Coordinates of all heavy atoms in Angstrom, one line a residue:
R1 N -36.4 53.4 4.7 CA -36.9 52.5 5.7 C -36.6 51.1 5.2 O -36.9 50.7 4.1 CB -38.4 52.6 5.7 CG -38.8 53.8 6.4 CD -40.2 53.8 6.7 NE -40.5 54.8 7.7 CZ -41.5 55.1 8.4 NH1 -42.5 54.3 8.2 NH2 -41.6 56.0 9.2
M2 N -36.3 50.2 6.1 CA -36.1 48.8 5.8 C -37.4 48.1 5.8 O -37.7 47.3 4.9 CB -35.1 48.1 6.8 CG -33.7 48.7 6.7 SD -32.6 47.8 7.8 CE -31.8 46.9 6.5
M3 N -38.3 48.3 6.7 CA -39.6 47.7 6.8 C -40.5 48.4 5.9 O -40.6 49.6 5.8 CB -40.1 47.7 8.2 CG -39.3 46.9 9.2 SD -39.3 45.2 8.6 CE -38.4 44.5 9.9
G4 N -41.3 47.6 5.1 CA -42.3 48.2 4.3 C -41.8 48.9 3.0 O -42.5 49.6 2.4
S5 N -40.5 48.7 2.7 CA -40.0 49.4 1.5 C -40.7 48.8 0.3 O -41.0 47.6 0.2 CB -38.5 49.2 1.4 OG -38.2 47.8 1.4
G6 N -41.0 49.6 -0.7 CA -41.7 49.2 -1.9 C -43.1 48.7 -1.6 O -43.7 48.0 -2.4
G7 N -43.7 49.1 -0.5 CA -45.0 48.8 -0.2 C -45.2 47.4 0.3 O -46.3 46.9 0.5
T8 N -44.1 46.6 0.5 CA -44.2 45.2 1.0 C -44.0 45.2 2.4 O -42.9 45.5 2.9 CB -43.2 44.4 0.2 OG1 -43.4 44.5 -1.2 CG2 -43.3 42.9 0.6
K9 N -45.0 44.9 3.2 CA -44.9 44.9 4.7 C -44.2 43.6 5.2 O -43.7 43.7 6.3 CB -46.2 45.1 5.3 CG -46.7 46.5 5.0 CD -47.9 46.9 5.9 CE -48.6 48.1 5.4 NZ -48.3 49.3 6.1
H10 N -44.3 42.5 4.5 CA -43.8 41.3 5.0 C -42.6 40.8 4.3 O -42.3 39.6 4.2 CB -44.9 40.2 5.0 CG -46.1 40.6 5.8 ND1 -46.1 40.7 7.2 CD2 -47.3 41.0 5.4 CE1 -47.3 41.1 7.6 NE2 -48.0 41.3 6.6
M11 N -41.8 41.7 3.8 CA -40.5 41.3 3.1 C -39.6 40.7 4.2 O -39.4 41.3 5.3 CB -39.9 42.6 2.5 CG -38.6 42.3 1.7 SD -37.9 43.8 1.0 CE -39.1 44.1 -0.3
K12 N -38.9 39.6 3.9 CA -37.9 39.0 4.8 C -36.8 39.9 4.9 O -36.4 40.7 4.1 CB -37.5 37.7 4.2 CG -38.5 36.6 4.2 CD -38.0 35.3 3.8 CE -39.0 34.2 3.9 NZ -38.5 32.9 3.4
F13 N -36.1 39.8 6.1 CA -35.0 40.6 6.4 C -33.9 40.5 5.3 O -33.4 41.5 4.9 CB -34.4 40.3 7.8 CG -33.2 41.1 8.1 CD1 -33.4 42.4 8.6 CD2 -31.9 40.7 7.9 CE1 -32.3 43.2 8.9 CE2 -30.8 41.5 8.2 CZ -31.0 42.7 8.7
G14 N -33.6 39.3 4.9 CA -32.6 39.1 3.9 C -32.9 39.8 2.6 O -32.0 40.4 1.9
E15 N -34.2 39.8 2.2 CA -34.6 40.5 1.0 C -34.4 42.0 1.1 O -34.0 42.7 0.2 CB -36.0 40.2 0.7 CG -36.3 38.8 0.3 CD -37.8 38.4 0.2 OE1 -38.6 39.2 0.8 OE2 -38.1 37.4 -0.4
Q16 N -34.6 42.5 2.4 CA -34.4 43.9 2.6 C -33.0 44.4 2.5 O -32.7 45.4 1.9 CB -35.0 44.3 4.0 CG -36.5 44.1 4.1 CD -37.0 44.4 5.5 OE1 -36.5 45.3 6.2 NE2 -37.9 43.6 6.0
I17 N -32.1 43.5 3.1 CA -30.7 43.8 3.0 C -30.2 43.8 1.6 O -29.5 44.7 1.1 CB -29.9 42.8 3.8 CG1 -30.1 42.9 5.3 CG2 -28.4 42.8 3.5 CD1 -29.4 44.2 5.9
K18 N -30.7 42.8 0.8 CA -30.3 42.7 -0.6 C -30.8 44.0 -1.4 O -30.1 44.5 -2.2 CB -30.9 41.5 -1.2 CG -30.4 41.1 -2.6 CD -30.8 39.7 -3.0 CE -30.1 39.3 -4.2 NZ -30.5 37.9 -4.5
E19 N -32.0 44.4 -1.1 CA -32.6 45.6 -1.8 C -31.8 46.8 -1.5 O -31.5 47.6 -2.4 CB -34.0 45.7 -1.3 CG -34.8 46.8 -2.1 CD -36.2 46.9 -1.7 OE1 -37.0 46.0 -2.2 OE2 -36.6 47.8 -0.9
V20 N -31.4 47.0 -0.2 CA -30.6 48.1 0.2 C -29.3 48.1 -0.6 O -28.8 49.1 -1.1 CB -30.3 48.1 1.7 CG1 -29.2 49.1 2.1 CG2 -31.6 48.4 2.5
R21 N -28.6 46.9 -0.6 CA -27.3 46.8 -1.3 C -27.4 47.1 -2.8 O -26.7 47.9 -3.3 CB -26.7 45.4 -1.1 CG -25.5 45.1 -1.8 CD -24.9 43.8 -1.6 NE -25.8 42.7 -2.0 CZ -25.9 42.3 -3.3 NH1 -25.3 42.9 -4.3 NH2 -26.7 41.2 -3.6
K22 N -28.4 46.5 -3.4 CA -28.6 46.7 -4.8 C -29.0 48.1 -5.2 O -28.6 48.6 -6.3 CB -29.6 45.7 -5.4 CG -29.1 44.2 -5.5 CD -30.0 43.3 -6.2 CE -29.2 42.1 -6.6 NZ -30.0 41.3 -7.6
S23 N -29.8 48.7 -4.3 CA -30.2 50.1 -4.6 C -29.0 51.1 -4.6 O -29.1 52.1 -5.2 CB -31.3 50.6 -3.6 OG -30.7 50.8 -2.4
R24 N -28.0 50.6 -4.0 CA -26.8 51.5 -4.0 C -25.8 51.0 -5.0 O -24.7 51.5 -5.1 CB -26.1 51.4 -2.5 CG -27.1 51.9 -1.5 CD -26.6 52.0 -0.1 NE -25.5 53.0 -0.1 CZ -24.3 52.9 0.4 NH1 -23.9 51.7 0.9 NH2 -23.5 53.9 0.4
G25 N -26.1 50.0 -5.8 CA -25.3 49.6 -6.9 C -24.0 48.8 -6.4 O -23.0 48.9 -7.1
L26 N -24.1 48.1 -5.3 CA -23.0 47.5 -4.7 C -23.0 46.0 -4.9 O -24.1 45.4 -4.8 CB -22.9 47.8 -3.2 CG -22.7 49.3 -2.8 CD1 -22.8 49.4 -1.3 CD2 -21.4 49.8 -3.3
T27 N -21.8 45.4 -5.1 CA -21.8 43.9 -5.0 C -21.7 43.5 -3.5 O -21.5 44.4 -2.6 CB -20.5 43.4 -5.7 OG1 -19.4 43.9 -4.9 CG2 -20.4 43.9 -7.1
Q28 N -21.9 42.2 -3.3 CA -21.8 41.8 -1.9 C -20.5 42.1 -1.3 O -20.3 42.5 -0.2 CB -22.0 40.3 -1.8 CG -23.5 39.8 -2.0 CD -23.7 38.4 -1.8 OE1 -22.8 37.6 -1.9 NE2 -25.0 38.0 -1.6
E29 N -19.4 41.9 -2.1 CA -18.1 42.2 -1.7 C -17.9 43.7 -1.3 O -17.3 44.0 -0.3 CB -17.1 41.8 -2.8 CG -15.6 42.0 -2.4 CD -14.8 40.7 -2.4 OE1 -15.3 39.7 -3.0 OE2 -13.8 40.7 -1.7
Q30 N -18.4 44.6 -2.2 CA -18.2 46.0 -1.9 C -19.0 46.4 -0.6 O -18.5 47.2 0.2 CB -18.8 46.8 -3.1 CG -17.9 46.7 -4.3 CD -18.6 47.3 -5.5 OE1 -19.8 47.2 -5.7 NE2 -17.8 47.8 -6.5
F31 N -20.2 45.9 -0.5 CA -21.0 46.1 0.7 C -20.3 45.6 1.9 O -20.3 46.3 3.0 CB -22.4 45.5 0.5 CG -23.5 46.0 1.5 CD1 -23.7 47.3 1.7 CD2 -24.3 45.1 2.1 CE1 -24.7 47.8 2.6 CE2 -25.3 45.5 3.0 CZ -25.5 46.9 3.2
A32 N -19.8 44.4 1.9 CA -19.1 43.8 3.0 C -17.9 44.7 3.4 O -17.6 44.9 4.6 CB -18.6 42.4 2.6
D33 N -17.1 45.2 2.4 CA -16.0 46.0 2.6 C -16.4 47.3 3.4 O -15.7 47.7 4.4 CB -15.2 46.4 1.3 CG -14.5 45.3 0.7 OD1 -14.2 44.3 1.4 OD2 -14.1 45.5 -0.4
Q34 N -17.5 47.9 3.0 CA -18.0 49.1 3.7 C -18.3 48.8 5.2 O -18.2 49.7 6.0 CB -19.2 49.7 3.0 CG -18.9 50.3 1.7 CD -20.1 51.0 1.1 OE1 -21.2 50.9 1.6 NE2 -19.9 51.7 0.0
L35 N -18.8 47.6 5.4 CA -19.2 47.2 6.8 C -18.1 46.5 7.6 O -18.4 46.1 8.7 CB -20.5 46.3 6.7 CG -21.7 46.9 6.0 CD1 -22.8 45.9 5.8 CD2 -22.2 48.1 6.8
H36 N -17.0 46.2 7.0 CA -15.9 45.5 7.6 C -16.2 44.1 8.0 O -15.9 43.7 9.1 CB -15.3 46.3 8.8 CG -15.0 47.8 8.4 ND1 -14.0 48.1 7.6 CD2 -15.7 48.9 8.7 CE1 -14.0 49.5 7.5 NE2 -15.0 49.9 8.1
V37 N -17.0 43.5 7.1 CA -17.3 42.0 7.3 C -16.9 41.3 6.0 O -16.5 41.9 5.0 CB -18.8 41.8 7.6 CG1 -19.2 42.5 8.9 CG2 -19.7 42.3 6.5
T38 N -17.1 40.0 6.1 CA -16.8 39.2 4.9 C -18.0 39.2 3.9 O -19.1 39.4 4.3 CB -16.5 37.7 5.3 OG1 -17.6 37.2 5.8 CG2 -15.3 37.6 6.2
R39 N -17.7 38.9 2.7 CA -18.7 38.7 1.7 C -19.7 37.6 2.1 O -20.9 37.7 1.9 CB -18.1 38.4 0.3 CG -19.2 38.4 -0.8 CD -18.8 37.5 -2.0 NE -18.5 36.1 -1.6 CZ -19.5 35.2 -1.3 NH1 -20.7 35.5 -1.4 NH2 -19.1 34.0 -1.0
Q40 N -19.1 36.6 2.7 CA -19.9 35.5 3.2 C -21.0 35.9 4.2 O -22.1 35.4 4.2 CB -19.1 34.4 3.7 CG -19.8 33.1 4.0 CD -20.3 32.4 2.8 OE1 -19.6 32.4 1.7 NE2 -21.5 31.9 2.8
A41 N -20.6 36.8 5.1 CA -21.5 37.3 6.1 C -22.7 38.0 5.4 O -23.9 37.8 5.8 CB -20.8 38.3 7.0
V42 N -22.4 38.8 4.4 CA -23.5 39.5 3.7 C -24.4 38.5 2.9 O -25.6 38.6 3.0 CB -22.9 40.5 2.6 CG1 -24.0 41.1 1.7 CG2 -22.2 41.7 3.3
S43 N -23.8 37.5 2.3 CA -24.5 36.4 1.7 C -25.4 35.7 2.7 O -26.6 35.4 2.4 CB -23.6 35.4 1.0 OG -24.3 34.3 0.5
N44 N -24.9 35.4 3.9 CA -25.7 34.7 4.9 C -26.9 35.6 5.3 O -28.0 35.0 5.5 CB -24.8 34.4 6.1 CG -23.9 33.2 5.8 OD1 -24.1 32.4 4.9 ND2 -22.8 33.1 6.6
W45 N -26.7 36.9 5.4 CA -27.8 37.7 5.8 C -28.9 37.7 4.7 O -30.1 37.6 5.0 CB -27.4 39.2 6.0 CG -26.4 39.4 7.1 CD1 -26.1 38.6 8.2 CD2 -25.4 40.5 7.2 NE1 -25.1 39.1 8.9 CE2 -24.7 40.3 8.4 CE3 -25.2 41.6 6.4 CZ2 -23.7 41.2 8.7 CZ3 -24.2 42.5 6.8 CH2 -23.4 42.3 8.0
E46 N -28.4 37.9 3.5 CA -29.4 38.0 2.4 C -30.1 36.7 2.2 O -31.2 36.7 1.6 CB -28.6 38.3 1.1 CG -28.1 39.8 1.1 CD -27.4 40.2 -0.2 OE1 -27.3 39.4 -1.2 OE2 -27.0 41.4 -0.3
N47 N -29.6 35.6 2.6 CA -30.2 34.3 2.4 C -30.9 33.8 3.7 O -31.2 32.6 3.8 CB -29.2 33.2 1.9 CG -28.8 33.5 0.4 OD1 -29.6 33.4 -0.5 ND2 -27.6 33.9 0.2
D48 N -31.0 34.7 4.7 CA -31.6 34.4 5.9 C -31.0 33.2 6.7 O -31.8 32.5 7.4 CB -33.2 34.2 5.7 CG -33.8 35.6 5.4 OD1 -33.6 36.5 6.1 OD2 -34.6 35.5 4.4
R49 N -29.7 33.0 6.5 CA -29.0 32.0 7.3 C -28.7 32.5 8.6 O -28.6 31.7 9.6 CB -27.8 31.5 6.5 CG -28.1 30.6 5.3 CD -26.9 29.9 4.8 NE -26.1 30.7 3.9 CZ -26.3 30.8 2.6 NH1 -27.3 30.1 2.0 NH2 -25.6 31.6 1.9
N50 N -28.4 33.7 8.8 CA -28.2 34.4 10.1 C -28.5 35.8 10.0 O -28.7 36.3 8.9 CB -26.8 34.0 10.7 CG -25.7 34.5 9.8 OD1 -25.8 35.5 9.1 ND2 -24.6 33.8 9.9
L51 N -28.5 36.5 11.1 CA -28.8 37.9 11.2 C -27.7 38.7 11.8 O -26.9 38.2 12.7 CB -30.0 38.1 12.1 CG -31.3 37.5 11.6 CD1 -32.4 37.6 12.6 CD2 -31.8 38.2 10.3
P52 N -27.5 40.0 11.3 CA -26.4 40.8 11.9 C -26.9 41.2 13.4 O -28.0 41.2 13.7 CB -26.4 42.0 11.0 CG -27.7 42.0 10.3 CD -28.2 40.6 10.2
D53 N -25.9 41.5 14.2 CA -26.2 41.9 15.5 C -26.6 43.4 15.5 O -26.5 44.0 14.5 CB -25.0 41.7 16.5 CG -23.8 42.4 16.1 OD1 -23.8 43.4 15.5 OD2 -22.7 41.9 16.5
I54 N -27.1 43.9 16.7 CA -27.6 45.2 16.7 C -26.6 46.3 16.3 O -26.9 47.2 15.6 CB -28.3 45.5 18.1 CG1 -29.0 46.8 18.0 CG2 -27.2 45.5 19.2 CD1 -30.3 46.8 17.1
E55 N -25.4 46.1 16.7 CA -24.3 47.1 16.3 C -24.2 47.1 14.8 O -24.0 48.2 14.2 CB -23.0 46.8 17.0 CG -22.9 47.0 18.5 CD -23.5 45.9 19.3 OE1 -23.8 44.8 18.7 OE2 -23.6 46.0 20.5
M56 N -24.2 45.9 14.1 CA -24.1 45.9 12.7 C -25.3 46.5 12.0 O -25.2 47.1 11.0 CB -23.9 44.4 12.3 CG -23.6 44.3 10.8 SD -22.3 45.3 10.1 CE -20.9 44.6 11.0
L57 N -26.5 46.3 12.6 CA -27.7 46.9 12.0 C -27.6 48.4 12.0 O -28.0 49.1 11.1 CB -29.0 46.5 12.8 CG -29.5 45.1 12.6 CD1 -30.6 44.7 13.5 CD2 -29.9 44.9 11.1
I58 N -27.1 48.9 13.1 CA -26.9 50.4 13.2 C -25.9 50.8 12.2 O -26.1 51.9 11.5 CB -26.4 50.8 14.7 CG1 -27.6 50.5 15.6 CG2 -26.0 52.2 14.7 CD1 -27.2 50.6 17.1
L59 N -24.8 50.1 12.0 CA -23.8 50.5 11.0 C -24.4 50.4 9.6 O -24.2 51.3 8.8 CB -22.6 49.6 11.1 CG -21.4 49.8 10.1 CD1 -20.9 51.3 10.3 CD2 -20.3 48.8 10.3
I60 N -25.2 49.3 9.3 CA -25.8 49.2 8.0 C -26.7 50.4 7.7 O -26.7 51.0 6.7 CB -26.6 47.9 7.9 CG1 -25.7 46.7 7.9 CG2 -27.6 47.9 6.7 CD1 -26.4 45.4 8.1
S61 N -27.5 50.8 8.8 CA -28.3 52.0 8.7 C -27.6 53.2 8.4 O -27.9 54.0 7.5 CB -29.1 52.1 10.0 OG -29.9 53.3 9.9
T62 N -26.5 53.4 9.1 CA -25.6 54.6 8.9 C -25.0 54.6 7.5 O -25.0 55.7 6.8 CB -24.5 54.6 10.0 OG1 -25.1 54.6 11.3 CG2 -23.6 55.8 9.9
V63 N -24.4 53.5 7.1 CA -23.7 53.4 5.8 C -24.6 53.6 4.7 O -24.3 54.2 3.7 CB -22.9 52.1 5.7 CG1 -22.4 51.8 4.3 CG2 -21.7 52.1 6.7
S64 N -25.8 53.0 4.8 CA -26.8 53.0 3.7 C -27.8 54.2 3.7 O -28.5 54.4 2.7 CB -27.5 51.7 3.6 OG -28.4 51.6 4.8
G65 N -27.8 54.9 4.8 CA -28.8 56.0 4.9 C -30.2 55.5 5.1 O -31.2 56.2 4.8
V66 N -30.4 54.2 5.5 CA -31.7 53.6 5.6 C -32.1 53.6 7.1 O -31.4 53.2 8.0 CB -31.7 52.1 5.1 CG1 -33.0 51.4 5.4 CG2 -31.4 52.1 3.6
S67 N -33.3 54.0 7.4 CA -33.9 54.1 8.7 C -34.2 52.7 9.2 O -34.6 51.8 8.5 CB -35.2 54.9 8.7 OG -35.8 54.8 10.0
L68 N -34.0 52.4 10.5 CA -34.3 51.1 11.1 C -35.8 51.0 11.6 O -36.2 50.0 12.0 CB -33.4 50.9 12.3 CG -31.9 50.7 11.9 CD1 -31.1 50.6 13.2 CD2 -31.7 49.5 11.1
D69 N -36.6 52.1 11.5 CA -37.9 52.0 12.0 C -38.9 51.3 11.0 O -38.5 51.0 9.8 CB -38.5 53.3 12.5 CG -38.4 54.3 11.3 OD1 -37.6 54.3 10.5 OD2 -39.3 55.3 11.4

């Protein structure tokens, strides 16, 4: 689950993305390659500069095995 992981209910989206990536032992570049985006896009998500669109959220969920609920 992305929300509430680690018992933290108010974790920012960027922190959640970073936690998902790190839990899989991936660098930003490796995660970006799996999602067919740039490393900068992953960095922007993790730093809450922008958010992925819904199609990308679904792909992140699929690639990482993390539920969106």
